[in-house]
Amino acid sequence: KVKALLFAQWSMPCAYYPLDELTEAGRFEGSLFTRFWASSGLPDDDMLLIGQHMYSALAGLGTQYGRALLLLGPKGAGKSQVLTMYEKLVPPDAVCNVTPQQLESDYHGAELRGKALNVCYELSSVNPIPDEAGTKAIIQGERVTRRPIRQAPVSFRPIAAHAFAANDFPSIVAPSSAFYDRWALVGFKRSFRGKNNEVPYIGRKIATDELELLVSWVVDCGRELQRTGRYRLT
């Protein structure tokens, strides 16, 4: 059964049920979704922040709340699994992979035109992130002009939510106080790699086999985001 979600910008390949209905029906009990978040060791507020950020992309509001999501932690901590789930919430052709260091680039910046999600799985800790007006404009959805390769410049208003992962905190070129107002950070401390409870590609399996659980949770997180108008930051 396929049901179009009225709060999304496109239909999703799953039925939608409110979170409380799925919970009462026991759908989350023993699920990979529940197992992943329980094993991550993340506090509830950090989980809520991730869910709220995911909702911003699902609802086409990626720039309305003005923050990029940065997942920090050791290898095997589950950061890439979160981003894999994140990608499943938007169509494949609505995703791009532009690093924060490339946002100022005419060519790479132009890739954001019409995209709902910009995701990068491993940021370099060597190449510094610039604290420049163009980066701020893209994260906050202000009109920018970029030039695709071998084409005329184009002016557009970005709508993409930005989600990145890094093993170490990236270096920053002369950051201002306003720089940190454009980022939402979540720290992962546990590593699943080599552990008995590790489930290979768990993010992909959740996004494929338990998509309705993921969507229900994301929408529930989005309710508070719409009510308060800001992310739950720790």
Side-chain angles (χ1 to χ4, degrees):
K1 180 180 179 181
V2 177
K3 181 184 293 185
L5 304 181
L6 299 180
F7 45 78
Q9 298 300 298
W10 40 80
S11 61
M12 298 291 290
C14 68
Y16 168 73
Y17 301 97
L19 184 68
D20 56 355
E21 290 186 15
L22 293 179
T23 301
E24 291 174 5
R27 293 295 305 279
F28 284 94
E29 295 178 8
S31 66
L32 288 176
F33 179 88
T34 300
R35 179 175 175 180
F36 172 78
W37 290 112
S39 300
S40 71
L42 291 177
D44 290 344
D45 282 352
D46 281 351
M47 290 174 54
L48 176 60
L49 170 58
I50 292 172
Q52 289 178 335
H53 207 276
M54 288 180 170
Y55 176 80
S56 74
L58 175 67
L61 304 173
T63 57
Q64 179 168 318
Y65 303 101
R67 288 182 184 262
L69 179 65
L70 179 58
L71 308 180
L72 290 170
K75 292 183 178 179
K79 306 183 303 296
S80 63
Q81 306 308 319
V82 171
L83 296 183
T84 296
M85 288 186 271
Y86 206 153
E87 280 199 64
K88 188 66 175 180
L89 296 173
V90 301
D93 60 359
V95 181
C96 61
N97 309 102
V98 181
T99 69
Q101 296 88 340
Q102 296 171 331
L103 293 178
E104 287 286 334
S105 162
D106 276 350
Y107 171 61
H108 292 289
E111 295 182 39
L112 292 163
R113 188 183 185 192
K115 303 300 184 183
L117 175 63
N118 178 41
V119 60
C120 296
Y121 282 78
E122 188 171 349
L123 297 185
S124 168
S125 59
V126 177
N127 297 327
I129 298 175
D131 181 18
E132 299 179 5
T135 302
K136 168 183 175 292
I138 285 179
I139 292 177
Q140 297 187 342
E142 301 169 8
R143 184 167 291 278
V144 297
T145 299
R146 295 291 185 268
R147 184 171 185 171
I149 190 169
R150 292 188 293 275
Q151 297 183 32
V154 292
S155 178
F156 63 98
R157 189 177 296 278
I159 63 168
H162 300 267
F164 309 113
N167 298 328
D168 302 296
F169 196 90
S171 58
I172 304 164
V173 179
S176 64
S177 58
F179 176 86
Y180 297 101
D181 292 337
R182 297 192 289 272
W183 292 85
L185 275 61
V186 174
F188 287 70
K189 297 180 175 60
R190 297 180 182 176
S191 177
F192 300 94
R193 184 162 295 180
K195 302 292 180 63
N196 292 333
N197 62 343
E198 180 183 11
V199 178
Y201 308 109
I202 188 171
R204 184 186 305 171
K205 292 176 181 177
I206 291 171
T208 301
D209 301 332
E210 300 178 352
L211 181 59
E212 65 183 37
L213 302 184
L214 174 62
V215 170
S216 177
W217 172 73
V218 167
V219 172
D220 191 71
C221 291
R223 296 186 194 282
E224 182 180 343
L225 178 61
Q226 290 193 319
R227 181 179 63 83
T228 62
R230 63 183 63 186
Y231 291 121
R232 173 77 67 85
L233 302 175
T234 56

